[in-house]
Amino acid sequence: MSKVIVLGGGVAGLSAAQELVERGFQVEVYEQRPNHWGGKARSMGAPGTGTGGRADLPGEHGFRFFPGFYKHLPDTMTRIPFPTGYVIDNLVATTQIEMTQENAEPIVTPAEFPETLEAWIQAIREIAHIHTGIPSDETKFFAERMYQILTSCEERRLGEYEKIAWWSFIDADNKSAEYQKILAEGLTRSLVAMQAKIASTRTVGDILLQLALNGVTPGVQTDRVLNGPTNDVWLTPWISYLTQRGVKLTQNSVVQSLQLSGSRITGAVVQIDGQSVTVQGDYYIAAMPVEVMTKLVTPGIAARSPSLARLGNLKTRWMNGIQFYLKGDVPLDHGHCIYLDSVWALTSISQHQFWANTNLANYGNGEVTGVISVDISDWTTPGNKVVLKPADQCTADEVQAEVWAQLKAHLNRNGQTVLADDNLLAWHLDPDIVFPRSSPMNDGNEEPLLVNITNSWQYRPEATIEIPNLFLASDYVRTYTDLASMEGANEAARRAVNGILAASGSGEQPCQLWPLHEPDIFFPLRALDLIRYKLGLPWENAFPVS
C-alpha cells in the first residue's frame, strides 16, 4: 500500500485525502492550524461570546458560496456521510441576488430559472422593475462582449483574452459612471475580489458566463449556501469520515522544508507542537496556498522543477469576512447582496433564513436571532463613512465601524431603518487578520486570496510537475475552474490524485474532472473562431444583429 503525505488541511488537502483513501492509499494529513480544518472554508467560534454553557457565536473566514457551475466539490460532498444523509443535502438554494446602491432603488434579480407559473410571474415583475441607470446602448455593448467570449475558442481565450484586462475588454474608460460601477467594478470586486483594470478577461469572462448561463438553465441552481454553520454541516462530518476511513490527521504542524535527493522528495520537515520531525511517504501532495508554497521552493527544487520557480509572480489580495450578530433577525433578500457603492466592495448574506435546523439561542448569550455575514473585498481603498483610511490600516474596531456604516448607508433608505445600532449585539472579524500589522505569512493577513491578473496563467503550474513524487493541490494550480475558490481547490486535488494514480501504476478509477459547461449550440461558432485564430485573424461576429 503506497503512503501519501498531504501537506495542508484546507479544502484541497482534505479533498485529496478523501479521493486517495477511497482508492486504498495510506494517507497522512498535516495542517498548520492547531484548532481548525478547512482553511478558508472553515467556520469558528467567536472567542468569549458563549455564556451559560452555550457555544460561541458562529464566525467564519467569509460566507460560503456554491454556484451552480461547481461540479467537483459537490461530487465530493455526495460521499461525506451526515446523520440525515450526506453533506450534499445541506446545500440549499437562494432565490434572489440584490445589487443595492446608496440613494437609489436596489436591483433585484432571480437567482434561479423559474420552474412554476408563479415563479415566472414573480421573475417578470422583478425584471420589469429593474432600473440600472446604464444607457441601453452600453448594456447592448456589454452583452455583445459576453457573446464574443461565448463564441471564442479556448485557444483565443488563453492566447489573447488572458493578456487583456477586463476593464479594457469591456471599454469601461469610454462608458458611463453607472456602467463602470455596476458592470466593470461591481461584479469583479464583489464576486471574485479582483480589480477590473488588472484582472484577466479570460478568467472574469468565463466565470461571469458560467453564472449567467446557470441562471437561464432549467434545473440548475445558480447560487447555493449551507443550511448551517460550515463546521457543523460540512467540515466536522468530513473530518469524522476521513478518520473513520483511516486517514491520519495531525494539526499544529508547520511545514518547514521539503527534502530533495536527486530527482525525488525524500521527506518533509514538519514542526509538530513545536518539535521538528521528518515525515516520509512514497508520494507528497503540497496542498498549501501559494504564499506558503513559494517559501518552500529552494534553489535546488526550482532547478529540478522550473514550473515552481515562477510562483513568486502570482499575486494575492485580501478578501476576508466580518459577522454581525443581531438581537432581531434582518433577513434582507433571499440570497447574496452586492453593495455597489461600497468603497470596500462589500457583499453579504443574511444567514439565519437559510439555517433551518440551527437554533441560535444555543449560541452566545442566547439573545441572538440573526447573523449578517459580510465579505470585504477591497482593503486598500480608504473608507468614506466613519474611518477615512484603508481597511488594511484599520484596527478591528475601525473595520467594524466602517463596514457597519457602509451597510447602513445602502440599506437604510426612503426613511426606513433596516439596520439599527441598538439591534447589534456583537460582531466577529476573521482572525486571519492579524494585529498588530505584522505576520510571517503576508503582512497582517494569514490567508490572502489568489487573484488572476492579466497574463498570470503562464506562472501557474500543473498539479503534476517535474519532480515525479511531488504533486500540487491548491487553487493556484491550473484547472478548468481557473478561479481561487473551493471548487478550484477540489479540482486541483483531483488532478494531484490522478497524477499519483498514474505514477504508482494504480488500477483505480481516476477522479472525474468537469470542464466548464457552455451550450453545445455555440460549438460551430467556436470551431469557426479556432480556424480564424490559427490564421491570425481576429474574432468576428458570424451573425451580427443590429
Side-chain angles (χ1 to χ4, degrees):
M1 179 188 298
S2 295
K3 177 180 177 182
V4 182
I5 302 295
V6 179
L7 303 172
V11 169
L14 298 180
S15 298
Q18 177 173 340
E19 299 294 346
L20 286 165
V21 76
E22 289 177 348
R23 288 166 172 78
F25 286 81
Q26 181 183 352
V27 185
E28 297 181 2
V29 182
Y30 295 89
E31 163 58 30
Q32 69 169 356
R33 293 185 177 277
N35 301 311
H36 299 296
W37 295 99
K40 296 182 182 69
R42 73 192 185 284
S43 61
M44 74 292 288
T49 57
T51 63
R54 286 177 287 266
D56 286 338
L57 290 165
E60 54 193 5
H61 173 87
F63 56 69
R64 306 276 68 77
F65 173 46
F66 298 80
F69 70 86
Y70 279 19
K71 297 291 189 298
H72 302 88
L73 185 59
D75 177 72
T76 296
M77 297 170 80
T78 63
R79 289 174 275 126
I80 303 173
F82 193 75
T84 57
Y86 292 89
V87 164
I88 189 66
D89 302 323
N90 294 330
L91 290 183
V92 295
T94 69
T95 60
Q96 294 177 320
I97 299 172
E98 179 174 328
M99 291 179 283
T100 184
Q101 308 173 73
E102 295 185 41
N103 304 314
E105 289 302 308
I107 301 167
V108 181
T109 62
E112 58 183 1
F113 187 89
E115 295 187 345
T116 65
L117 178 60
E118 292 79 7
W120 269 108
I121 293 172
Q122 180 62 28
I124 292 171
R125 286 173 176 169
E126 292 171 349
I127 294 171
H129 286 86
I130 290 176
H131 176 69
T132 65
I134 303 173
S136 59
D137 62 320
E138 294 184 357
T139 302
K140 179 175 180 290
F141 176 82
F142 183 82
E144 289 170 348
R145 279 292 191 249
M146 294 299 292
Y147 175 75
Q148 178 175 339
I149 295 173
L150 182 59
T151 56
S152 294
C153 63
E154 290 294 331
E155 290 79 1
R156 187 182 300 279
R157 297 186 198 187
L158 181 59
E160 186 176 324
Y161 302 158
E162 167 70 10
K163 301 172 184 178
I164 302 173
W166 179 245
W167 182 274
S168 298
F169 183 77
I170 62 172
D171 195 27
D173 271 334
N174 298 309
K175 297 295 184 288
S176 66
E178 292 301 307
Y179 180 98
Q180 293 174 352
K181 179 173 67 175
I182 296 174
L183 298 179
E185 293 179 333
L187 295 180
T188 53
R189 290 193 313 165
S190 300
L191 292 177
V192 291
M194 290 194 283
Q195 294 175 299
K197 292 184 178 180
I198 61 174
S200 160
T201 290
R202 174 176 180 264
T203 297
V204 176
D206 280 356
I207 296 304
L208 291 183
L209 269 181
Q210 292 301 306
L211 295 173
L213 290 170
N214 285 169
V216 296
T217 303
V220 174
Q221 297 171 334
T222 302
D223 179 11
R224 296 163 293 179
V225 296
L226 290 166
N227 65 359
T230 308
N231 283 3
D232 295 352
V233 301
W234 175 21
L235 294 179
T236 298
W238 201 3
I239 294 302
S240 177
Y241 172 62
L242 294 177
T243 301
Q244 293 171 5
R245 292 297 300 257
V247 176
K248 178 183 176 182
L249 298 159
T250 305
Q251 291 184 313
N252 203 24
S253 305
V254 180
V255 181
Q256 296 179 311
S257 65
L258 298 173
Q259 296 178 331
L260 178 70
S261 178
S263 65
R264 301 179 69 83
I265 299 296
T266 58
V269 179
V270 182
Q271 187 180 69
I272 303 176
D273 294 328
Q275 182 177 355
S276 293
V277 299
T278 300
V279 297
Q280 295 180 308
D282 301 295
Y283 303 96
Y284 299 81
I285 294 180
M288 298 165 286
V290 65
E291 69 276 6
V292 178
M293 186 62 188
T294 300
K295 297 173 182 177
L296 298 174
V297 180
T298 62
I301 290 176
R304 181 60 65 176
S305 180
S307 61
L308 292 179
R310 301 171 292 178
L311 294 182
N313 293 310
L314 298 176
K315 305 298 181 184
T316 61
R317 283 171 58 86
W318 293 19
M319 186 178 187
N320 300 72
I322 184 171
Q323 289 77 51
F324 295 102
Y325 306 104
L326 308 178
K327 182 188 305 182
D329 189 23
V330 180
L332 301 179
D333 64 293
H334 194 261
H336 290 93
C337 185
I338 301 172
Y339 300 86
L340 291 171
D341 295 321
S342 59
V343 294
W344 286 0
L346 305 181
T347 49
S348 77
I349 189 166
S350 184
Q351 296 277 31
H352 196 238
Q353 61 188 316
F354 301 103
W355 290 359
N357 299 318
T358 299
N359 185 0
L360 286 176
N362 296 327
Y363 295 83
N365 63 3
E367 297 181 11
V368 170
T369 65
V371 181
I372 297 179
S373 187
V374 184
D375 273 0
I376 308 167
S377 297
D378 189 332
W379 289 76
T380 60
T381 298
N384 65 350
K385 302 304 177 189
V386 295
V387 182
L388 306 181
K389 56 184 178 180
D392 66 359
Q393 297 178 21
C394 290
T395 65
D397 287 334
E398 289 172 334
V399 171
Q400 179 272 325
E402 178 65 20
V403 172
W404 183 249
Q406 290 185 31
L407 293 182
K408 290 193 299 182
H410 282 75
L411 297 173
N412 296 349
R413 56 181 178 267
N414 299 329
Q416 295 185 333
T417 300
V418 176
L419 295 184
D421 292 341
D422 60 4
N423 193 36
L424 179 60
L425 290 177
W427 54 273
H428 172 261
L429 180 65
D430 180 10
D432 279 339
I433 305 300
V434 179
F435 300 96
R437 280 283 179 266
S438 62
S439 166
M441 299 288 289
N442 192 59
D443 191 29
N445 190 335
E446 293 190 342
E447 289 197 275
L449 183 74
L450 176 78
V451 290
N452 296 351
I453 64 173
T454 55
N455 216 24
S456 59
W457 179 265
Q458 62 179 320
Y459 304 125
R460 294 167 58 186
E462 302 285 350
T464 299
I465 59 174
E466 299 87 345
I467 298 175
N469 69 333
L470 177 63
F471 302 85
L472 307 179
S474 186
D475 56 17
Y476 64 86
V477 169
R478 291 180 176 180
T479 59
Y480 292 133
T481 306
D482 189 33
L483 185 70
S485 59
M486 299 181 296
E487 175 77 351
N490 183 276
E491 183 189 342
R494 290 166 176 261
R495 290 175 179 271
V497 171
N498 287 349
I500 290 177
L501 295 178
S504 65
S506 171
E508 293 289 333
Q509 187 74 19
C511 305
Q512 188 169 356
L513 301 173
W514 286 270
L516 295 179
H517 172 70
E518 295 178 7
D520 292 339
I521 193 172
F522 294 103
F523 175 79
L525 296 178
R526 292 194 291 269
L528 176 62
D529 184 59
L530 177 58
I531 296 173
R532 292 184 59 83
Y533 181 73
K534 289 183 176 180
L535 293 174
L537 299 174
W539 175 86
E540 181 179 72
N541 189 353
F543 296 99
V545 179
S546 59

